[in-house]
Amino acid sequence: MAKEITKRDENYSKWYNEIIQRAELAEHSAVRGCMVIKPTGFAVWEAMKAELDRMFKETGHVNAYFPLFIPKSFLSKEAEHVEGFATECAVVTHHRLMVDPNGKGMVVDPSARLEEELIVRPTSETIIWNTYKDWITSYRDLPLLINQWANVVRWELRTRMFLRTAEFLWQEGHTAHATQEEAEDEAKMILDIYAKFAEEYMAMPVVKGVKTANERFAGALETYTIEALMQDGKALQSGTSHFLGQNFAKAFEVKYMTKENKEEYVWATSWGVSTRLMGGLIMTHSDDAGLVLPPKLAPTQVVIIPIPKPNEEIDAVAFKIMADLKAKGVSVKYDQDTTKRPGFKFAEHEMKGIPVRLGIGKRDLEKGVVEVARRDTKEKSSQPVEGIEDYIVNLLDEIQKNLFNRALAYRTAHTTEVDTWDEFKSVLEEKGGFISAHWDGTTETELKIKELTKASIRCIALDRKEEKGKCVLTGNPSEGRVLFAKAY
RNA sequence: CCAGAUUUAGCUUAAUAAGGUUUUAAAGCGCUGGACUUGGACUCCAGGAGAUGUAGGUUCGAAUCCUACAAUUUGGACCA
């Protein structure tokens, strides 16, 4: 295996794939478009999941589980919804195999055809709303705030590790409310949770916004999104929260009795983030030396390396430091492998993104210090063994902040206001990133711009300032700027 | 799904511009055992295992040429 990985500015896609391989996050499986998430990668996902789950529960949501299979007829009950997913569904048609009468191996038993074909869920709105119909009869049953952690399948034609795979893991929240306002508030609150999670835990700055009609979830009245900017200047839609209005309630006849004894349709939301966040995490922070993980999500936050190899004296100090760190809630590993040299270990743990490395050698011990190397800046310093645990706790915090600030600075530097079409094209071509420009509000213009430049409207930022202007393409009046970018 | 590229052992690569001499497909790394080693992927000794993506075709003879399929990959179309 080569020592170095491909550099970001040489071939970003290749770099991304190599990081995943070398950091042992995931690998391709024997099934086309599906990946194996390896223990290291899954540990990061579990850390993300644990925090998100906590945040959902804190705001009154509960977990449940709905079936993997959805009767085909369910999917077609909401017209826009089915249209959005029809082209990427895996369909179960049979339930039995038999020995091939003409040869070796197994074939599908033609007599075992299902009466109604089943769709492997691409998302669960339909099966869930079919269920909610029975659960909701009174205003007393509302709001209904349910989340599920599940896998879904979307038959993608072109896949990329974590960013777009045929099967992926996610959470999908599905809520029912008595009033429109309550449902809209729910969708926005979840967006806030997503943004908070992305920024505080993933150290990934995001723009909160709403999608244009064209980019909206199939079946939603409003789609809120968090958009992040990757190091290659492309945007990543990282989480979405949808206000579904009464579309699904009407399609599945979900009505409740108000206090006034009147029958009303409920108001709905759905929202989700997926293992795609892993892709965002990798691309936001990592560098040409490998993966960089923010301390709050790193399965191992500190690694201790004995130089040149473990001995009694070094072990004693290492175990003491480990115990002190563990007592402070820091996850730490002591690399006692005697078959690898320190230099190899340094590079290996850098590749895997461990935030802090401690090196302990005889010379260090004589001086009562250890070497502390931080992954984000690659800076090294000697620190006294005495009180090292407090130093590390602060350092982890500092690294977490630095990663966020660094990513934010990148995004700020790569968000460009443009007012002319020529400028739009040249910035997109030469610099990339978000382009903040006026848009006349029509789908027609949006599609035209996409056709001409491949840039789409990522979102209309929630905090954008009102500002009269002229559409960058058509010159028609505009109420404010929107964010354009090429996207994953 | 469209266009291009790729596919030889766990990984990386070799096998003359050209199908054939000992091609009985070669090697390095990794693996196993040992030595050495106080700061960046060493070095040395010993050991064992391992491959031409799949299916056809051309040929006296195919890793090498052709076709199809598959997977991967880059760019695109499509896509919450």
Side-chain angles (χ1 to χ4, degrees), chain A residues 301-315:
Chain A
Q301 295 168 307
V302 176
V303 63
I304 302 175
I305 298 176
I307 297 166
K309 58 182 175 183
N311 65 36
E312 259 178 47
E313 204 185 347
I314 291 174
D315 286 354

Side-chain angles (χ1 to χ4, degrees), chain A residues 404-420:
Chain A
F404 177 79
N405 289 334
R406 196 161 80 176
L408 183 62
Y410 176 87
R411 190 189 76 189
T412 306
H414 290 81
T415 302
T416 315
E417 282 197 2
V418 312
D419 292 308
T420 69

Side-chain angles (χ1 to χ4, degrees), chain A residues 7-21:
Chain A
K7 303 223 179 322
R8 279 165 295 182
D9 54 8
E10 278 169 17
N11 188 334
Y12 196 80
S13 297
K14 209 171 166 197
W15 167 82
Y16 176 75
N17 286 330
E18 285 177 12
I19 293 256
I20 289 170
Q21 189 201 339

Side-chain angles (χ1 to χ4, degrees), chain A residues 443-488:
Chain A
T443 298
E444 195 191 352
T445 303
E446 181 181 3
L447 292 175
K448 186 76 186 168
I449 292 174
K450 192 171 180 186
E451 187 196 321
L452 292 171
T453 65
K454 288 166 199 153
S456 53
I457 299 178
R458 300 321 304 152
C459 68
I460 303 161
L462 293 183
D463 64 358
R464 78 160 174 180
K465 52 180 188 279
E466 293 297 317
E467 175 191 301
K468 300 269 184 211
K470 286 181 180 172
C471 175
V472 74
L473 183 70
T474 63
N476 292 334
S478 148
E479 296 301 311
R481 294 174 183 275
V482 301
L483 287 176
F484 289 86
K486 289 185 187 171
Y488 276 99

